Structures are given as structure tokens and as C-alpha cells.
Amino acid sequence: PRIPQESEDEYIARIIDDSKEQGRAAADAGTDIHASIQGFYEGESVTRHHEHVVGCTKAITDAFGLHGWIAERSFAHEMGFGGKCDLHSPQGIVIDVKTKEFTDPKKVDGYDEHLMQLAAYRVGLGMPQARCANVFVSRSVPGLTVVKEWSADDLDRGWLMFSALLNFWQLKNQHQ
């Protein structure tokens, strides 16, 4: 609410500062939940965000079964790109975990940026035919998780889009 005697410029500046702070707080909460999920897959006992971790791991197991998951693996590819994959299985599954505010699982879907990231990760990890999924973990409803597995056709399209953008970036920046 507007403070008495507050000028319009001061009011607008306060609104902008508040929105930035809310964005930072949401990002921090997402980072903390993500770290708890990562810790679970690295063998740590889960003390924070227990419901988020249980919901996420159950959704992954329900979708893909039990695997020897590898968490947070970095890679560099000879084409001149790299990344850090949240979770992958040597049996050919690549997962990227996203935390976001949502209450209705029917309204959660992936974007082309998510698709391109996963398509690049599977190539970068040397698993060009891997199944790929985004796992959306709700920050607002602990335990609510949505798995979005991308089709092979989508992943092929994602790789083509990523390759085109990588080529553009390398040409623009005179990357050798």
C-alpha cells in the first residue's frame, strides 16, 4: 500500500524494489529445494524440503523406474558447448529439474528453451538417443511434481534449434 505523503516516484521505486526482492526470494527457495533434491541423489540424508524431495523422487521413479542416477555431472563437448546435467542414468535417461510456483499440474508444460537444453545435454553426455524429461517441482505445493518427457521428434527438433543457435553464437563471437 502507498505510504501517506509518499511521492509517485518513491512509490514506484518501492514497488520495483519489492518485486525484485520477491523474485530473489523465489529464486533462493528454488535453489534450496533443488539442492535438497541433488543431495538426496548424492546419498545425503534429507533434512530440508522433505516433501518436495519425496514428491520429486517418487515422480521420477514412477516415470522411469529405479536407476543408478548420477547427479550434477559437468561436461564439455568438442562442438564448443558445455553444461551441468541435474540427473542422468547410464541406461539412457537425462533429467533437468525445474522448481516453479504452480498448484495445477495440468497447466505445467515445458518450453523450447527446456527442450534445447535437454537435447544439448544428451549429446554433450555422449547419449544422443537418451530419453529426456523436465521434472517440475512446485515451490507452492510441497510434494507436487510434474514429469514432462519429451518425444524423440521434439528432441530432434530441439537439437536442430540448439545447433543453429550455437552456430550463430560462434559466428557472431568469432569463436574458433
Side-chain angles (χ1 to χ4, degrees):
R2 194 167 191 166
I3 298 171
Q5 281 32 171
E6 185 175 38
S7 74
E8 178 109 5
D9 288 343
E10 291 170 328
Y11 182 51
I12 290 170
R14 194 164 53 83
I15 289 170
I16 291 170
D17 286 345
D18 184 58
S19 72
K20 288 179 183 175
E21 181 56 36
Q22 287 183 35
R24 278 191 293 273
D28 290 347
T31 299
D32 287 347
I33 293 166
H34 200 282
S36 294
I37 294 165
Q38 175 186 338
F40 171 84
Y41 283 105
E42 291 175 339
E44 298 173 12
S45 61
V46 177
T47 56
R48 298 184 64 206
H49 313 293
H50 185 263
E51 289 179 76
H52 294 88
V53 173
V54 169
C56 178
T57 57
K58 181 181 180 329
I60 289 171
T61 300
D62 289 349
F64 301 105
L66 295 172
H67 289 272
W69 295 106
I70 299 167
E72 296 296 318
R73 178 169 168 219
S74 298
F75 66 88
H77 193 273
E78 62 191 15
M79 287 176 62
F81 71 94
K84 190 173 188 181
C85 178
D86 288 342
L87 203 59
H88 77 282
S89 160
Q91 291 78 27
I93 302 168
V94 176
I95 292 176
D96 187 59
V97 176
K98 304 284 187 197
T99 61
K100 62 183 288 170
E101 295 286 335
F102 70 91
T103 58
D104 185 351
K106 294 178 187 144
K107 294 184 178 179
V108 177
D109 201 8
Y111 298 113
D112 282 341
E113 290 81 3
H114 302 146
L115 172 62
M116 289 186 287
Q117 179 184 23
L118 284 166
Y121 280 6
R122 75 183 193 159
V123 170
L125 291 167
M127 302 186 315
Q129 300 304 312
R131 295 168 62 191
C132 294
N134 289 108
V135 176
F136 297 98
V137 177
S138 174
R139 288 191 307 263
S140 43
V141 181
L144 181 59
T145 303
V146 174
V147 176
K148 160 66 175 168
E149 184 171 357
W150 296 91
S151 72
D153 287 344
D154 282 336
L155 289 161
D156 290 343
R157 183 175 64 86
W159 175 247
L160 291 172
M161 289 189 297
F162 176 82
S163 298
L165 290 173
L166 177 63
N167 188 48
F168 170 81
W169 183 89
Q170 288 173 337
L171 290 168
K172 180 179 182 274
N173 293 289
Q174 299 180 9
H175 180 75
Q176 305 297 337

